[in-house]
Amino acid sequence: MTREATGTFEVKLTPQPLEHGEGDTTVGTMVIDKTLSGDLEATSWGLMVSAITQVKGSAGYVAMERITGTLHGREGSFVLQHSATMSGGGQSQDITVVPDSATGALKGLSGTFLIHIDKGAHSYTFTYSLPEGD
């Protein structure tokens, strides 16, 4: 059965030093710390690699993020894999649950996660499914 979870989140991105490409600001790495509220009450941490071009509004990132908390009352953790690009004010996102990464009462979780940003405020829509009988 497919379900939908919605809510908001606060995120802190902490830039990390690079061992290669010193002085080049095109590619960067960051640690992600996030607090999610709503249908998914959780915290997360992860690693992001981003690329920012010389054209304002054009960029891309990939990331792995481990989320731990409660999804519609079920406790556990899972990993999201991110891939996103931005260009000319538009964006493309592919954020999915890593297969077999879920633990606890979320074991067997699959789904896609969509990030919304409106006037600096972050929210999400998480479309997911769990094995039948759970």
Side-chain angles (χ1 to χ4, degrees):
M1 181 170 128
T2 300
R3 295 191 67 184
E4 186 174 276
T6 60
T8 61
F9 66 91
E10 298 291 325
V11 63
K12 178 182 174 190
L13 300 174
T14 306
Q16 300 298 297
L18 292 176
E19 292 184 27
H20 302 288
E22 188 173 327
D24 181 356
T25 58
T26 305
V27 175
T29 60
M30 292 180 246
V31 170
I32 304 166
D33 287 298
K34 195 180 285 181
T35 302
L36 300 105
S37 301
D39 297 327
L40 175 59
E41 292 285 335
T43 58
S44 77
W45 73 272
L47 298 173
M48 173 191 291
V49 178
S50 64
I52 299 173
T53 71
Q54 294 180 2
V55 176
K56 183 176 172 87
S58 291
Y61 82 90
V62 294
M64 299 300 274
E65 175 185 12
R66 181 173 181 87
I67 296 176
T68 304
T70 304
L71 174 61
H72 282 132
R74 297 173 63 144
E75 287 188 50
S77 66
F78 58 96
V79 177
L80 289 177
Q81 179 174 310
H82 299 237
S83 178
T85 56
M86 287 74 53
S87 177
Q91 64 177 348
S92 171
Q93 299 177 40
D94 183 15
I95 306 171
T96 58
V97 174
V98 173
D100 300 315
S101 66
T103 66
L106 299 176
K107 192 170 184 171
L109 177 73
S110 62
T112 57
F113 197 90
L114 185 60
I115 295 172
H116 313 281
I117 304 172
D118 184 24
K119 298 176 185 168
H122 292 79
S123 60
Y124 66 86
T125 302
F126 184 28
T127 304
Y128 71 93
S129 60
L130 285 161
E132 285 191 37
D134 292 335

